[in-house]
Amino acid sequence: MYKTVVFDLDGTLLNTLDDLADAGNRLCADRGWPTHTAEEFRYFVGNGIPKLIERLAPPEHRTPAELAEALAWFQADYGAHLRDKTTPYPGIPAMLGRLKAAGVQLAVFSNKADPLAREVVASYFDPALFDLVRGQRPDTPVKPAPEGTRALLAALGADPAATLYVGDSNVDVQTARNAGLDCCGVLWGFRTRQELQQEGARYLAADAAALERVVLAGPAGGASDE
């Protein structure tokens, strides 16, 4: 059994895509920028909100001042609407409860701004489930840089060899690799099986039950469980 599991948030525990896309398109409409489909937002998100804003802004509007203003606008708007359409993926709350009962240490590490990450997790999950919830902080590089992941593991007192990182994108696989962790890619999130396979995820899980089996099998479990 893995002793610690660190979860990505968006696309892994929660389907936040529609709320992110709606807030992004409201920002674009407010500034006269082109809007985008929810499918496009699957590839805009994952590297933190500042990078999302940069991707949404037309090249001529990517000055530091304009991006900072747009970021502040987005964070306020998204913060007011982060519960409109967001929902946990099927089976996730019950799976987390079973893992917690089995003695697994659970944490969330997101590229979403730290206050928003903690707020959205508290909105949808029992706070007793997670030993630590952490988002992106101004003094820490965003994932997949390893500094934030290593700091989180140190705060948890977690052994990297007994820790599984769970996420839905190439950024998550890179995050795990850079921090020396095993990675399970989930197939219900924002990105594709092909992306996760190409990036080198050790495991793939098609649903919450499959992910639970990976966690309980532990580092010796070997193959993907789909």
Side-chain angles (χ1 to χ4, degrees):
M1 183 175 76
Y2 284 98
K3 295 181 180 178
T4 303
V5 181
V6 179
F7 293 91
D8 173 53
L9 181 56
D10 299 80
T12 301
L13 295 177
L14 293 173
N15 186 352
T16 58
L17 186 63
D18 286 341
D19 282 336
L20 287 167
D22 288 350
N25 280 331
R26 285 192 295 269
L27 170 71
C28 291
D30 180 75
R31 279 156 173 69
W33 300 348
T35 57
H36 302 274
T37 66
E39 192 65 24
E40 289 176 292
F41 272 90
R42 290 181 182 274
Y43 293 89
F44 290 165
V45 301
N47 298 97
I49 292 176
K51 179 59 70 173
L52 168 63
I53 302 306
E54 182 181 328
R55 288 168 175 160
L56 292 174
E60 66 272 20
H61 293 284
R62 292 176 184 168
T63 66
E66 285 188 275
L67 291 176
E69 181 185 352
L71 175 62
W73 193 101
F74 178 93
Q75 288 179 323
D77 180 80
Y78 177 65
H81 294 279
L82 54 78
R83 302 172 190 84
D84 288 359
K85 299 177 182 177
T86 290
T87 185
Y89 286 103
I92 291 294
M95 178 209 65
L96 294 172
R98 289 191 296 271
L99 292 179
K100 185 73 173 179
V104 180
Q105 187 178 45
L106 306 177
V108 176
F109 187 38
S110 173
N111 269 342
K112 191 187 294 292
D114 188 59
L116 288 175
R118 289 186 281 108
E119 182 178 354
V120 75
V121 170
S123 296
Y124 291 96
F125 298 106
D126 181 346
L129 287 172
F130 297 107
D131 294 87
L132 187 60
V133 176
R134 185 169 290 180
Q136 199 278 321
R137 296 176 171 183
D139 59 346
T140 305
V142 298
K143 300 183 297 182
E147 291 88 344
T149 311
R150 290 171 179 164
L152 180 140
L153 295 179
L156 291 169
D159 176 4
T163 299
L164 180 69
Y165 189 93
V166 180
D168 69 303
S169 75
N170 57 349
V171 172
D172 296 308
V173 184
Q174 293 163 12
T175 298
R177 182 168 60 246
N178 292 344
L181 307 178
D182 287 344
C183 181
C184 182
V186 301
L187 301 179
W188 57 77
F190 296 169
R191 303 293 180 84
T192 65
R193 174 195 295 267
Q194 181 181 18
E195 177 175 305
L196 294 166
Q197 288 177 323
Q198 288 180 343
E199 200 59 50
R202 178 174 180 179
Y203 312 102
L204 296 175
D207 55 29
L211 174 57
E212 185 175 355
R213 289 192 292 270
V214 169
V215 175
L216 296 179
S224 295
D225 189 339
E226 300 179 53

